[in-house]
C-alpha cells in the first residue's frame, strides 16, 4: 500500500512525497531522483512524526525539487523513461528480446538498442557486460589519443573498468586508473574530461590549484565539463 504525504513549500506549491516503508530502515531518510522525492521509513512509524520530519526538511525539499525540475526541463521528461539507456550522450530505447545467441544491436536510425539475451530476467547482466566492453574499448582508445597529444603526462600502471556507484573514475597512488562501467553513457567530451582528470591525478593526487592547472592545460573547458558531469551523474543514476 502506498502513502503520499503533502508538504507545503515556501514557494506556495504543495508537493506530495511518497512514503516507502522498509524493514531495513532504522531512521527516516529522504531520497530524490528525477521522478520525484520519496521518504524511506522504518516499518513502525507514526504519520505525525513523518510529517514533522518533512516540515523540518522543507528547504531541502524545495531546493531539490527545483533542481530536478530544471533537469527535467533541460533534458526532457520523455527522454528519461526507465526503458531507455544512454550511450555516448544519446538516449536510446531499450529493447530486450529472447534469443538463443546473445548479441547487441545499436540502431541510430531507430534510436534503439536491442539486446538479444538467453534469459530476459537476467538482461541486466548482459547490459552491464555490454557497457563494460564498450567502456574498455573507448577508454583504451581515448587514453592512447590523449597521452599521444600530451606526452608530458606520466604513464599509468593498470586500467580497470568497475561497477562503482559513486564516481566516474578514480586514480590510486600506485598509478592504477579505474573507470565506471557506465562511463560510455556520457558524451565523448565528458568521457575525455574524466580521463584527463584521472591522468592529471598521476601528477597531483589531490584537487589542489596545481591539479586544476594540469587539467586546464589539456582541457581548457574543464569547468563547464565538470558542471555538466554533475547533471549527468544524477540523470544516469536513475536510469541504470
Ligand atoms: Zn579527482
Amino acid at each position: 500500500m502506498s502513502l503520499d504525504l503533502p508538504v507545503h513549500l515556501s514557494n506556495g506549491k504543495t508537493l506530495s512525497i511518497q512514503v516507502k516503508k522498509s524493514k531495513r530502515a532504522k531512521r527516516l531518510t529522504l531520497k530524490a531522483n528525477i521522478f520525484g522525492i520519496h521518504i524511506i521509513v522504518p516499518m513502525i512509524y507514526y504519520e505525525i512524526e513523518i510529517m514533522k520530519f518533512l516540515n523540518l526538511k522543507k528547504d531541502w525539499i524545495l531546493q531539490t525539487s527545483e533542481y530536478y525540475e530544471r533537469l527535467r526541463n533541460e533534458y526532457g521528461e520523455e527522454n528519461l523513461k526507465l526503458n531507455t539507456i544512454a550511450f555516448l550522450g544519446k538516449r536510446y530505447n531499450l529493447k530486450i528480446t529472447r534469443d538463443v545467441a546473445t548479441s547487441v544491436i545499436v540502431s541510430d536510425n531507430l534510436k534503439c538498442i536491442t539486446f538479444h539475451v538467453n534469459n530476459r530476467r537476467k538482461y541486466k547482466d548482459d547490459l552491464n557486460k555490454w557497457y563494460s566492453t564498450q567502456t574498455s574499448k573507448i577508454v583504451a582508445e581515448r587514453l592512447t589519443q590523449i597521452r599521444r597529444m600530451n606526452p608530458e603526462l606520466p604513464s599509468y600502471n593498470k586500467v580497470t573498468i568497475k561497477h562503482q556507484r559513486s564516481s566516474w573514475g578514480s586514480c590510486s597512488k600506485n598509478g592504477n586508473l579505474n573507470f565506471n562501467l557506465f562511463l560510455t553513457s556520457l558524451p565523448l567530451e565528458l568521457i575525455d574530461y574524466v580521463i584527463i582528470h584521472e591522468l592529471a591525478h598521476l601528477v597531483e593526487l589531490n584537487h589542489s590549484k596545481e591539479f586544476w592547472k594540469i587539467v586546464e592545460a589539456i582541457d581548457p573547458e574543464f569547468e563547464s565539463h565538470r558542471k555538466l558531469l554533475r547533471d549527468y551523474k544524477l540523470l544516469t543514476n536513475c536510469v541504470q
Side-chain angles (χ1 to χ4, degrees), residues 12-43:
K13 282 187 190 162
T14 302
L15 204 73
S16 91
I17 310 277
Q18 201 194 350
V19 178
K20 291 184 179 176
K21 292 210 167 187
S22 156
K23 280 184 185 143
R24 277 172 300 157
K26 294 209 166 51
R27 57 192 172 86
L28 300 174
T29 318
L30 271 166
K31 297 233 172 188
N33 62 35
I34 203 101
F35 305 108
I37 298 178
H38 61 269
I39 184 165
I40 316 266
V41 303
M43 294 308 280

Side-chain angles (χ1 to χ4, degrees), residues 83-118:
N83 53 352
T84 69
I85 63 168
F87 182 53
L88 297 179
K90 280 194 252 171
R91 202 151 269 285
Y92 294 83
N93 288 316
L94 173 64
K95 271 195 193 144
I96 315 289
T97 334
R98 212 178 83 90
D99 208 334
V100 273
T102 57
S103 64
V104 181
I105 296 160
V106 181
S107 165
D108 272 306
N109 286 342
L110 302 172
K111 290 193 184 123
C112 181
I113 298 184
T114 311
F115 281 78
H116 295 258
V117 299
N118 294 325

Side-chain angles (χ1 to χ4, degrees), residues 36-223:
I37 298 178
H38 61 269
I39 184 165
I40 316 266
V41 303
M43 294 308 280
I44 306 161
Y45 233 92
Y46 295 108
E47 202 176 303
I48 192 157
E49 289 176 280
I50 303 170
M51 281 310 292
K52 224 162 119 187
F53 179 81
L54 290 176
N55 277 316
L56 281 172
K57 300 285 181 188
K58 262 183 183 175
D59 289 343
W60 183 90
I61 292 169
L62 177 62
Q63 261 176 23
T64 309
S65 65
E66 281 178 347
Y67 178 71
Y68 280 108
E69 197 177 317
R70 184 176 69 73
L71 284 188
R72 271 198 303 273
N73 292 337
E74 226 159 272
Y75 296 95
E77 193 122 27
E78 266 303 293
N79 287 323
L80 299 166
K81 285 186 183 153
L82 282 168
N83 53 352
T84 69
I85 63 168
F87 182 53
L88 297 179
K90 280 194 252 171
R91 202 151 269 285
Y92 294 83
N93 288 316
L94 173 64
K95 271 195 193 144
I96 315 289
T97 334
R98 212 178 83 90
D99 208 334
V100 273
T102 57
S103 64
V104 181
I105 296 160
V106 181
S107 165
D108 272 306
N109 286 342
L110 302 172
K111 290 193 184 123
C112 181
I113 298 184
T114 311
F115 281 78
H116 295 258
V117 299
N118 294 325
N119 185 346
R120 279 177 63 100
R121 261 182 289 170
K122 288 188 178 166
Y123 85 89
K124 278 212 163 153
D125 295 346
D126 296 270
L127 197 134
N128 289 354
K129 217 185 283 168
W130 179 75
Y131 267 114
S132 174
T133 311
Q134 300 301 319
T135 301
S136 305
K137 200 178 86 187
I138 290 168
V139 164
E141 282 169 14
R142 298 310 298 159
L143 258 176
T144 312
Q145 178 74 6
I146 293 165
R147 292 202 67 247
R148 193 180 293 146
M149 288 167 71
N150 303 278
E152 72 284 1
L153 288 170
S155 52
Y156 51 86
N157 197 7
K158 197 173 75 176
V159 176
T160 312
I161 307 299
K162 278 188 189 172
H163 194 168
Q164 44 196 25
R165 273 199 174 265
S166 54
S167 63
W168 291 114
S170 61
C171 174
S172 78
K173 57 178 185 300
N174 307 322
N176 294 324
L177 306 179
N178 300 308
F179 294 101
N180 191 311
L181 183 70
F182 298 118
L183 189 68
T184 38
S185 62
L186 300 175
L188 207 50
E189 56 171 5
L190 294 187
I191 298 176
D192 277 1
Y193 164 74
V194 172
I195 295 174
I196 291 164
H197 183 117
E198 299 317 327
L199 284 172
H201 276 317
L202 293 169
V203 190
E204 291 283 338
L205 202 52
N206 51 51
H207 292 115
S208 61
K209 266 191 188 154
E210 285 67 34
F211 167 79
W212 291 113
K213 266 186 210 157
I214 299 164
V215 174
E216 190 176 17
I218 308 171
D219 177 9
E221 286 179 55
F222 78 100
E223 270 175 20

